[in-house]
Amino acid sequence: MQVERQAHIAFHLTGRMPQGEGDALARSDLQPALLAGYRDLTALRYDFPLVLISKGDAGQSVQSLSALFDGALKEVAGNGDGERIRKHASRFEREIRKLVAEGETGTLSKLCDAAAVRIGTKNDELLAKSVKSLRAALKSDGEVIDCDKAMPFRLFQHAWQALQDQKAQKFRAEINKLVMKLSDILSAEFGHSKEGMSAERLQASIGAAHRDTFDFVAMSRMLTEASVNVPMSESRRQRVRGLLATLRTQRFFPPATEADKWIGVAEPYSFKFATCTEAVAAYRERLPKMTELAKAVAIAKLETDGEYSEARHDAFFAEFGDNGLDADDIAVFPDYLICLRAADFRAAESDLILRAFVAGMPAKLVVQTDDLLEQSPIRDDFLVAGLRSRQLAGTALGFGASYVLQSSSSSLFQLREQVMRGLAYRGPALFSVFSGASASGIPAYLMAAAAAESRAFPALTYDPSAGADWASRFSLGANSQVDLDWPLQQFEYEDEQHQLVSETVAFTLVDFAATDQRCAKYFAKVPRAKWTDDLLPVSEFLARERKDLTEKVPCLLMVDRDNRLQKVIVNDTLVREARRCVEAWRSLQELGGVHNSHAAKLVEQERKIWAEKAQAAAAVVSQQTSSAVAAPAAPATATATSAAAAPAVAEAAPERSPDEAYIETSRCTSCNECTQINDKMFGYDTNKQASIINPDAGTYRQLVEAAENCQISIIHPGKPRNPNEPGLDELMKRAEPFL
Ligand code: SF4
């Protein structure tokens, strides 16, 4: 035992394992035990693939395939064929998922065609019928994208474009209205002029059928004599013509159709960029034109309302925009979208864009990190850092006036509202995304989800428009189990005696590193015969004081390709990284108001003061009691004080009846499956963990379906509440494994 312990400690400290005591992993076929259930993503129902909806409201421009299918099912599965359609829908949806995983691209309708062929609708009439009704109910269409390296940019470009289209539509409507009114001013003036009232002009303005009925020469003479023509001043005429020219030749918003193009007007500007330098240069170059257009719109509004006064407005507009445009003026123009990869992001670029942010450039910067593993500059080691993106997000947060969103690509759909809010934000916004498409060999979605879960790349949002303080602006709500250092999950396995064992396991940065082949050298497999009690789960090892760890070695549960449980010990390099990671996470928690040290200090101070007061009160009472001749009952204050001073009794876990529907909330991974089925029945608490908020807000069928869809089986449907619900026998059978 002693020899084994020494060997384990040696590997932990030096990375070398004495011969025969275990194998340092040169190449690992193991993966963290908690990821064992995610080998085949196509078998799971989760947020991806996504559909980039081509038409409609910008807020709905990104949808998940599962949600679209759920919507379609709601529409078509309510009748007697419901169960059959539901089964066929799940097959059909899974086939689309498989096609996308195999690299098939295209619109949802194209993939539906291909999936229908693959599941054999040709030879199965009922299946073909179900697919037909589902397709009729799938009202939206658009490109289908999987969670891969290209996804984050495509998603942001699509959502950004949807918002810019909305903006363009609004601006064009305003410009068109102004152009029409300004043109009317010029036409009206011409109409009242001598030339406008000439016999030829009058004749041309009357339909051919009546041309011989009138004496246009006499009519012209009469009108000219009767008209009290006050001609438009030359300065006004010039101003109106100038405004028309500026509005018609603007290049900030494309015409709605080819037919609306003005002849001779240059192509509209592009607002998508691959570098900050290009974007800042374009903004700078276009600024005078932008100012001119904003000024033209402001003058045109006054002019068309008949409120422009040269005496009052000429001087004001002569200086318009000299100190920059105000936020309202800037907000109507398109935003500059910059999509770049963190690996290509040079320090000078980062400095430039941050200065442009401070100067108020309406830029939306998407920085995609593909690999969080970086080579240490001082040792032959890897750091799990993603330093560039962290630095950038940290500095942008420090400015206070930029919208900041950081997220793994796996959570982008969950954060779609925050993405849209950031893209629509009136000011600069930074989106820092980890794609998960690294050289690890693990699917990008899984890598990204592991980074989020292990706190290697936590999700955060900072929205300056949400309120005046950090509590309103900053949120860590998209992370699992925000109040913990590492999220806990339930892990079940069969031991050597074939008994089912259930353990609560934390997912740490070390688990994240264990998914990456490049970190294999930091792990050593320990043969089962040498599993000693010096092996301590990594999360426990990290939680303990260093002085209590002299005889302990951190270990991780992993599984091999055949799902056999293995234990690996971990080199100190990764433990140091994990300590750094949890420190960074705790700083974020403080910003998010979780375990805030200032608040804790204040509470401690108040508690002390309160305890002192209580002690003093108790002393007075005891003095009074002892001086009294007879004291049949203790004074109320003393009773209250001692009761309050008693240590709080730990809240016991509620006892559950098997008839009651409930969720093991503390284990919820916030995957949205249940809330998508019925958000009146299932809801999230402040930790974004689900519970049953109203068991009567839906059907027993929905409870059972949610239990079946919950990937970690923590929903217990209990017994039906409505004995008249149809299909209860079958549903209760399906519910049995979850009771
Ligand atoms: S209860 Fe289950 S299905 Fe619902 S959100 Fe939590 S993990 Fe997902």
Side-chain angles (χ1 to χ4, degrees), residues 663-665 667-677 682-684 688-691 706-707 709-715:
I663 293 181
E664 294 168 61
T665 301
R667 292 175 54 204
C668 170
T669 57
S670 321
C671 72
N672 297 343
E673 280 292 344
C674 57
T675 51
Q676 274 173 7
I677 290 177
F682 304 99
Y684 285 126
K688 200 150 192 303
Q689 290 186 293
S691 60
N709 283 346
C710 178
Q711 288 152 22
I712 50 173
S713 305
I714 56 170
I715 300 180

PDB file of all heavy atoms in Angstrom, residues 663-665 667-677 682-684 688-691 706-707 709-715, ligand 1:
ATOM      1  N   ILE A 663     -39.331  17.185  -9.107  1.00  0.00           N
ATOM      2  CA  ILE A 663     -38.042  17.157  -9.810  1.00  0.00           C
ATOM      3  C   ILE A 663     -36.945  17.248  -8.764  1.00  0.00           C
ATOM      4  O   ILE A 663     -37.083  17.977  -7.778  1.00  0.00           O
ATOM      5  CB  ILE A 663     -37.923  18.358 -10.776  1.00  0.00           C
ATOM      6  CG1 ILE A 663     -38.933  18.223 -11.908  1.00  0.00           C
ATOM      7  CG2 ILE A 663     -36.535  18.479 -11.356  1.00  0.00           C
ATOM      8  CD1 ILE A 663     -38.884  19.336 -12.924  1.00  0.00           C
ATOM      9  N   GLU A 664     -35.853  16.502  -8.982  1.00  0.00           N
ATOM     10  CA  GLU A 664     -34.696  16.667  -8.092  1.00  0.00           C
ATOM     11  C   GLU A 664     -33.951  17.922  -8.555  1.00  0.00           C
ATOM     12  O   GLU A 664     -32.974  17.853  -9.321  1.00  0.00           O
ATOM     13  CB  GLU A 664     -33.811  15.437  -8.179  1.00  0.00           C
ATOM     14  CG  GLU A 664     -34.481  14.188  -7.639  1.00  0.00           C
ATOM     15  CD  GLU A 664     -33.698  12.947  -8.008  1.00  0.00           C
ATOM     16  OE1 GLU A 664     -32.538  12.827  -7.599  1.00  0.00           O
ATOM     17  OE2 GLU A 664     -34.248  12.116  -8.750  1.00  0.00           O
ATOM     18  N   THR A 665     -34.457  19.036  -8.132  1.00  0.00           N
ATOM     19  CA  THR A 665     -34.035  20.330  -8.663  1.00  0.00           C
ATOM     20  C   THR A 665     -32.522  20.557  -8.594  1.00  0.00           C
ATOM     21  O   THR A 665     -31.920  21.078  -9.531  1.00  0.00           O
ATOM     22  CB  THR A 665     -34.784  21.446  -7.907  1.00  0.00           C
ATOM     23  OG1 THR A 665     -36.170  21.230  -8.108  1.00  0.00           O
ATOM     24  CG2 THR A 665     -34.397  22.816  -8.402  1.00  0.00           C
ATOM     25  N   ARG A 667     -30.182  18.757  -9.077  1.00  0.00           N
ATOM     26  CA  ARG A 667     -29.388  18.061 -10.097  1.00  0.00           C
ATOM     27  C   ARG A 667     -29.679  18.553 -11.518  1.00  0.00           C
ATOM     28  O   ARG A 667     -29.082  18.082 -12.472  1.00  0.00           O
ATOM     29  CB  ARG A 667     -29.685  16.556 -10.024  1.00  0.00           C
ATOM     30  CG  ARG A 667     -29.160  15.925  -8.753  1.00  0.00           C
ATOM     31  CD  ARG A 667     -29.577  14.467  -8.679  1.00  0.00           C
ATOM     32  NE  ARG A 667     -29.184  13.743  -9.872  1.00  0.00           N
ATOM     33  CZ  ARG A 667     -29.782  12.623 -10.296  1.00  0.00           C
ATOM     34  NH1 ARG A 667     -30.779  12.123  -9.619  1.00  0.00           N
ATOM     35  NH2 ARG A 667     -29.383  12.030 -11.395  1.00  0.00           N
ATOM     36  N   CYS A 668     -30.588  19.481 -11.625  1.00  0.00           N
ATOM     37  CA  CYS A 668     -31.028  19.925 -12.958  1.00  0.00           C
ATOM     38  C   CYS A 668     -29.897  20.614 -13.707  1.00  0.00           C
ATOM     39  O   CYS A 668     -29.169  21.430 -13.141  1.00  0.00           O
ATOM     40  CB  CYS A 668     -32.215  20.872 -12.800  1.00  0.00           C
ATOM     41  SG  CYS A 668     -32.654  21.680 -14.323  1.00  0.00           S
ATOM     42  N   THR A 669     -29.740  20.271 -14.993  1.00  0.00           N
ATOM     43  CA  THR A 669     -28.665  20.876 -15.799  1.00  0.00           C
ATOM     44  C   THR A 669     -29.201  21.995 -16.697  1.00  0.00           C
ATOM     45  O   THR A 669     -28.528  22.425 -17.614  1.00  0.00           O
ATOM     46  CB  THR A 669     -27.998  19.802 -16.686  1.00  0.00           C
ATOM     47  OG1 THR A 669     -29.024  19.227 -17.491  1.00  0.00           O
ATOM     48  CG2 THR A 669     -27.326  18.742 -15.869  1.00  0.00           C
ATOM     49  N   SER A 670     -30.420  22.422 -16.468  1.00  0.00           N
ATOM     50  CA  SER A 670     -31.020  23.557 -17.194  1.00  0.00           C
ATOM     51  C   SER A 670     -31.047  23.340 -18.703  1.00  0.00           C
ATOM     52  O   SER A 670     -30.739  24.243 -19.466  1.00  0.00           O
ATOM     53  CB  SER A 670     -30.253  24.863 -16.902  1.00  0.00           C
ATOM     54  OG  SER A 670     -29.868  24.926 -15.578  1.00  0.00           O
ATOM     55  N   CYS A 671     -31.411  22.135 -19.139  1.00  0.00           N
ATOM     56  CA  CYS A 671     -31.332  21.854 -20.570  1.00  0.00           C
ATOM     57  C   CYS A 671     -32.567  22.335 -21.335  1.00  0.00           C
ATOM     58  O   CYS A 671     -32.623  22.228 -22.549  1.00  0.00           O
ATOM     59  CB  CYS A 671     -31.134  20.365 -20.801  1.00  0.00           C
ATOM     60  SG  CYS A 671     -32.604  19.420 -20.454  1.00  0.00           S
ATOM     61  N   ASN A 672     -33.590  22.803 -20.639  1.00  0.00           N
ATOM     62  CA  ASN A 672     -34.813  23.354 -21.246  1.00  0.00           C
ATOM     63  C   ASN A 672     -35.806  22.316 -21.759  1.00  0.00           C
ATOM     64  O   ASN A 672     -36.862  22.691 -22.256  1.00  0.00           O
ATOM     65  CB  ASN A 672     -34.531  24.287 -22.438  1.00  0.00           C
ATOM     66  CG  ASN A 672     -33.771  25.504 -22.037  1.00  0.00           C
ATOM     67  OD1 ASN A 672     -33.721  25.822 -20.865  1.00  0.00           O
ATOM     68  ND2 ASN A 672     -33.175  26.187 -22.993  1.00  0.00           N
ATOM     69  N   GLU A 673     -35.446  21.032 -21.731  1.00  0.00           N
ATOM     70  CA  GLU A 673     -36.345  20.028 -22.315  1.00  0.00           C
ATOM     71  C   GLU A 673     -37.745  20.116 -21.695  1.00  0.00           C
ATOM     72  O   GLU A 673     -38.746  20.165 -22.401  1.00  0.00           O
ATOM     73  CB  GLU A 673     -35.794  18.621 -22.085  1.00  0.00           C
ATOM     74  CG  GLU A 673     -34.704  18.214 -23.052  1.00  0.00           C
ATOM     75  CD  GLU A 673     -35.191  18.029 -24.470  1.00  0.00           C
ATOM     76  OE1 GLU A 673     -36.401  17.921 -24.688  1.00  0.00           O
ATOM     77  OE2 GLU A 673     -34.344  18.026 -25.386  1.00  0.00           O
ATOM     78  N   CYS A 674     -37.802  20.156 -20.355  1.00  0.00           N
ATOM     79  CA  CYS A 674     -39.123  20.126 -19.722  1.00  0.00           C
ATOM     80  C   CYS A 674     -39.852  21.456 -19.919  1.00  0.00           C
ATOM     81  O   CYS A 674     -41.051  21.472 -20.194  1.00  0.00           O
ATOM     82  CB  CYS A 674     -39.006  19.758 -18.255  1.00  0.00           C
ATOM     83  SG  CYS A 674     -37.960  20.839 -17.305  1.00  0.00           S
ATOM     84  N   THR A 675     -39.108  22.570 -19.822  1.00  0.00           N
ATOM     85  CA  THR A 675     -39.784  23.873 -19.929  1.00  0.00           C
ATOM     86  C   THR A 675     -40.309  24.087 -21.343  1.00  0.00           C
ATOM     87  O   THR A 675     -41.276  24.809 -21.540  1.00  0.00           O
ATOM     88  CB  THR A 675     -38.835  25.015 -19.530  1.00  0.00           C
ATOM     89  OG1 THR A 675     -37.631  24.867 -20.265  1.00  0.00           O
ATOM     90  CG2 THR A 675     -38.525  25.008 -18.050  1.00  0.00           C
ATOM     91  N   GLN A 676     -39.644  23.436 -22.323  1.00  0.00           N
ATOM     92  CA  GLN A 676     -40.145  23.566 -23.694  1.00  0.00           C
ATOM     93  C   GLN A 676     -41.452  22.784 -23.868  1.00  0.00           C
ATOM     94  O   GLN A 676     -42.282  23.128 -24.697  1.00  0.00           O
ATOM     95  CB  GLN A 676     -39.105  23.072 -24.689  1.00  0.00           C
ATOM     96  CG  GLN A 676     -38.127  24.172 -25.055  1.00  0.00           C
ATOM     97  CD  GLN A 676     -36.981  23.675 -25.902  1.00  0.00           C
ATOM     98  OE1 GLN A 676     -36.972  22.536 -26.339  1.00  0.00           O
ATOM     99  NE2 GLN A 676     -36.019  24.520 -26.141  1.00  0.00           N
ATOM    100  N   ILE A 677     -41.620  21.748 -23.077  1.00  0.00           N
ATOM    101  CA  ILE A 677     -42.860  20.969 -23.186  1.00  0.00           C
ATOM    102  C   ILE A 677     -44.034  21.762 -22.595  1.00  0.00           C
ATOM    103  O   ILE A 677     -45.100  21.853 -23.182  1.00  0.00           O
ATOM    104  CB  ILE A 677     -42.707  19.600 -22.485  1.00  0.00           C
ATOM    105  CG1 ILE A 677     -41.747  18.737 -23.309  1.00  0.00           C
ATOM    106  CG2 ILE A 677     -44.043  18.905 -22.295  1.00  0.00           C
ATOM    107  CD1 ILE A 677     -41.432  17.399 -22.727  1.00  0.00           C
ATOM    108  N   PHE A 682     -43.551  23.498 -15.780  1.00  0.00           N
ATOM    109  CA  PHE A 682     -42.158  23.439 -15.349  1.00  0.00           C
ATOM    110  C   PHE A 682     -41.574  24.853 -15.403  1.00  0.00           C
ATOM    111  O   PHE A 682     -41.808  25.588 -16.365  1.00  0.00           O
ATOM    112  CB  PHE A 682     -41.335  22.537 -16.275  1.00  0.00           C
ATOM    113  CG  PHE A 682     -41.895  21.144 -16.389  1.00  0.00           C
ATOM    114  CD1 PHE A 682     -42.687  20.780 -17.469  1.00  0.00           C
ATOM    115  CD2 PHE A 682     -41.656  20.204 -15.403  1.00  0.00           C
ATOM    116  CE1 PHE A 682     -43.220  19.510 -17.575  1.00  0.00           C
ATOM    117  CE2 PHE A 682     -42.188  18.926 -15.494  1.00  0.00           C
ATOM    118  CZ  PHE A 682     -42.976  18.579 -16.576  1.00  0.00           C
ATOM    119  N   GLY A 683     -40.804  25.209 -14.396  1.00  0.00           N
ATOM    120  CA  GLY A 683     -40.209  26.551 -14.395  1.00  0.00           C
ATOM    121  C   GLY A 683     -38.873  26.511 -13.685  1.00  0.00           C
ATOM    122  O   GLY A 683     -38.552  25.550 -12.963  1.00  0.00           O
ATOM    123  N   TYR A 684     -38.089  27.555 -13.929  1.00  0.00           N
ATOM    124  CA  TYR A 684     -36.763  27.621 -13.319  1.00  0.00           C
ATOM    125  C   TYR A 684     -36.787  28.471 -12.055  1.00  0.00           C
ATOM    126  O   TYR A 684     -37.545  29.439 -11.968  1.00  0.00           O
ATOM    127  CB  TYR A 684     -35.774  28.254 -14.300  1.00  0.00           C
ATOM    128  CG  TYR A 684     -35.361  27.323 -15.423  1.00  0.00           C
ATOM    129  CD1 TYR A 684     -35.494  27.701 -16.751  1.00  0.00           C
ATOM    130  CD2 TYR A 684     -34.826  26.071 -15.142  1.00  0.00           C
ATOM    131  CE1 TYR A 684     -35.122  26.856 -17.775  1.00  0.00           C
ATOM    132  CE2 TYR A 684     -34.444  25.219 -16.159  1.00  0.00           C
ATOM    133  CZ  TYR A 684     -34.599  25.611 -17.476  1.00  0.00           C
ATOM    134  OH  TYR A 684     -34.217  24.772 -18.482  1.00  0.00           O
ATOM    135  N   LYS A 688     -31.583  28.871 -12.025  1.00  0.00           N
ATOM    136  CA  LYS A 688     -31.925  28.293 -13.326  1.00  0.00           C
ATOM    137  C   LYS A 688     -31.955  26.758 -13.247  1.00  0.00           C
ATOM    138  O   LYS A 688     -31.404  26.065 -14.081  1.00  0.00           O
ATOM    139  CB  LYS A 688     -30.974  28.779 -14.426  1.00  0.00           C
ATOM    140  CG  LYS A 688     -31.632  28.571 -15.779  1.00  0.00           C
ATOM    141  CD  LYS A 688     -31.204  29.576 -16.784  1.00  0.00           C
ATOM    142  CE  LYS A 688     -32.085  29.525 -18.023  1.00  0.00           C
ATOM    143  NZ  LYS A 688     -32.171  28.294 -18.709  1.00  0.00           N
ATOM    144  N   GLN A 689     -32.604  26.261 -12.210  1.00  0.00           N
ATOM    145  CA  GLN A 689     -32.814  24.827 -12.092  1.00  0.00           C
ATOM    146  C   GLN A 689     -34.323  24.580 -12.016  1.00  0.00           C
ATOM    147  O   GLN A 689     -35.061  25.352 -11.371  1.00  0.00           O
ATOM    148  CB  GLN A 689     -32.096  24.306 -10.851  1.00  0.00           C
ATOM    149  CG  GLN A 689     -30.570  24.364 -11.059  1.00  0.00           C
ATOM    150  CD  GLN A 689     -29.817  23.721  -9.932  1.00  0.00           C
ATOM    151  OE1 GLN A 689     -29.822  24.213  -8.826  1.00  0.00           O
ATOM    152  NE2 GLN A 689     -29.162  22.614 -10.214  1.00  0.00           N
ATOM    153  N   ALA A 690     -34.734  23.505 -12.657  1.00  0.00           N
ATOM    154  CA  ALA A 690     -36.178  23.331 -12.867  1.00  0.00           C
ATOM    155  C   ALA A 690     -36.885  22.685 -11.681  1.00  0.00           C
ATOM    156  O   ALA A 690     -36.296  21.895 -10.936  1.00  0.00           O
ATOM    157  CB  ALA A 690     -36.394  22.484 -14.103  1.00  0.00           C
ATOM    158  N   SER A 691     -38.151  23.057 -11.524  1.00  0.00           N
ATOM    159  CA  SER A 691     -39.021  22.355 -10.585  1.00  0.00           C
ATOM    160  C   SER A 691     -40.430  22.370 -11.189  1.00  0.00           C
ATOM    161  O   SER A 691     -40.673  23.050 -12.199  1.00  0.00           O
ATOM    162  CB  SER A 691     -39.016  23.028  -9.216  1.00  0.00           C
ATOM    163  OG  SER A 691     -39.464  24.342  -9.349  1.00  0.00           O
ATOM    164  N   ALA A 706     -41.918  14.637 -20.317  1.00  0.00           N
ATOM    165  CA  ALA A 706     -40.790  15.395 -19.765  1.00  0.00           C
ATOM    166  C   ALA A 706     -39.838  14.443 -19.057  1.00  0.00           C
ATOM    167  O   ALA A 706     -38.616  14.541 -19.191  1.00  0.00           O
ATOM    168  CB  ALA A 706     -41.297  16.457 -18.810  1.00  0.00           C
ATOM    169  N   ALA A 707     -40.407  13.486 -18.291  1.00  0.00           N
ATOM    170  CA  ALA A 707     -39.558  12.520 -17.580  1.00  0.00           C
ATOM    171  C   ALA A 707     -38.736  11.713 -18.582  1.00  0.00           C
ATOM    172  O   ALA A 707     -37.551  11.455 -18.380  1.00  0.00           O
ATOM    173  CB  ALA A 707     -40.421  11.602 -16.737  1.00  0.00           C
ATOM    174  N   ASN A 709     -37.852  12.677 -21.580  1.00  0.00           N
ATOM    175  CA  ASN A 709     -36.900  13.529 -22.292  1.00  0.00           C
ATOM    176  C   ASN A 709     -35.764  14.024 -21.410  1.00  0.00           C
ATOM    177  O   ASN A 709     -34.722  14.422 -21.904  1.00  0.00           O
ATOM    178  CB  ASN A 709     -37.621  14.754 -22.874  1.00  0.00           C
ATOM    179  CG  ASN A 709     -38.388  14.390 -24.123  1.00  0.00           C
ATOM    180  OD1 ASN A 709     -38.174  13.324 -24.680  1.00  0.00           O
ATOM    181  ND2 ASN A 709     -39.283  15.237 -24.549  1.00  0.00           N
ATOM    182  N   CYS A 710     -35.976  14.064 -20.122  1.00  0.00           N
ATOM    183  CA  CYS A 710     -34.935  14.583 -19.223  1.00  0.00           C
ATOM    184  C   CYS A 710     -33.740  13.637 -19.289  1.00  0.00           C
ATOM    185  O   CYS A 710     -33.844  12.457 -18.959  1.00  0.00           O
ATOM    186  CB  CYS A 710     -35.467  14.665 -17.799  1.00  0.00           C
ATOM    187  SG  CYS A 710     -34.207  15.242 -16.665  1.00  0.00           S
ATOM    188  N   GLN A 711     -32.602  14.190 -19.741  1.00  0.00           N
ATOM    189  CA  GLN A 711     -31.452  13.316 -20.009  1.00  0.00           C
ATOM    190  C   GLN A 711     -30.863  12.710 -18.746  1.00  0.00           C
ATOM    191  O   GLN A 711     -30.133  11.736 -18.796  1.00  0.00           O
ATOM    192  CB  GLN A 711     -30.380  14.114 -20.751  1.00  0.00           C
ATOM    193  CG  GLN A 711     -30.785  14.398 -22.170  1.00  0.00           C
ATOM    194  CD  GLN A 711     -30.154  15.656 -22.695  1.00  0.00           C
ATOM    195  OE1 GLN A 711     -29.141  16.100 -22.185  1.00  0.00           O
ATOM    196  NE2 GLN A 711     -30.744  16.235 -23.726  1.00  0.00           N
ATOM    197  N   ILE A 712     -31.154  13.322 -17.581  1.00  0.00           N
ATOM    198  CA  ILE A 712     -30.564  12.747 -16.372  1.00  0.00           C
ATOM    199  C   ILE A 712     -31.638  12.153 -15.456  1.00  0.00           C
ATOM    200  O   ILE A 712     -31.380  11.876 -14.289  1.00  0.00           O
ATOM    201  CB  ILE A 712     -29.710  13.793 -15.626  1.00  0.00           C
ATOM    202  CG1 ILE A 712     -30.483  15.092 -15.439  1.00  0.00           C
ATOM    203  CG2 ILE A 712     -28.419  14.050 -16.335  1.00  0.00           C
ATOM    204  CD1 ILE A 712     -29.758  16.082 -14.576  1.00  0.00           C
ATOM    205  N   SER A 713     -32.823  11.959 -16.020  1.00  0.00           N
ATOM    206  CA  SER A 713     -33.911  11.233 -15.354  1.00  0.00           C
ATOM    207  C   SER A 713     -34.200  11.725 -13.944  1.00  0.00           C
ATOM    208  O   SER A 713     -34.238  10.945 -12.994  1.00  0.00           O
ATOM    209  CB  SER A 713     -33.584   9.734 -15.291  1.00  0.00           C
ATOM    210  OG  SER A 713     -33.307   9.252 -16.545  1.00  0.00           O
ATOM    211  N   ILE A 714     -34.393  13.023 -13.800  1.00  0.00           N
ATOM    212  CA  ILE A 714     -34.655  13.536 -12.448  1.00  0.00           C
ATOM    213  C   ILE A 714     -36.110  13.996 -12.295  1.00  0.00           C
ATOM    214  O   ILE A 714     -36.471  14.560 -11.294  1.00  0.00           O
ATOM    215  CB  ILE A 714     -33.692  14.685 -12.093  1.00  0.00           C
ATOM    216  CG1 ILE A 714     -33.771  15.818 -13.128  1.00  0.00           C
ATOM    217  CG2 ILE A 714     -32.281  14.184 -11.949  1.00  0.00           C
ATOM    218  CD1 ILE A 714     -33.045  17.062 -12.701  1.00  0.00           C
ATOM    219  N   ILE A 715     -36.897  13.791 -13.351  1.00  0.00           N
ATOM    220  CA  ILE A 715     -38.309  14.171 -13.248  1.00  0.00           C
ATOM    221  C   ILE A 715     -39.117  12.933 -12.863  1.00  0.00           C
ATOM    222  O   ILE A 715     -39.037  11.895 -13.516  1.00  0.00           O
ATOM    223  CB  ILE A 715     -38.827  14.751 -14.578  1.00  0.00           C
ATOM    224  CG1 ILE A 715     -38.004  15.983 -14.943  1.00  0.00           C
ATOM    225  CG2 ILE A 715     -40.311  15.107 -14.473  1.00  0.00           C
ATOM    226  CD1 ILE A 715     -38.404  16.636 -16.230  1.00  0.00           C
TER     227      ILE A 715
HETATM  228  S1  SF4 B   1     -35.414  18.889 -15.114  1.00  0.00           S
HETATM  229 FE1  SF4 B   1     -34.372  17.634 -16.613  1.00  0.00          FE
HETATM  230  S2  SF4 B   1     -35.401  18.189 -18.512  1.00  0.00           S
HETATM  231 FE2  SF4 B   1     -35.916  19.806 -17.071  1.00  0.00          FE
HETATM  232  S3  SF4 B   1     -34.372  21.345 -17.399  1.00  0.00           S
HETATM  233 FE3  SF4 B   1     -33.641  20.054 -15.719  1.00  0.00          FE
HETATM  234  S4  SF4 B   1     -32.357  18.526 -16.708  1.00  0.00           S
HETATM  235 FE4  SF4 B   1     -33.577  19.476 -18.317  1.00  0.00          FE
END
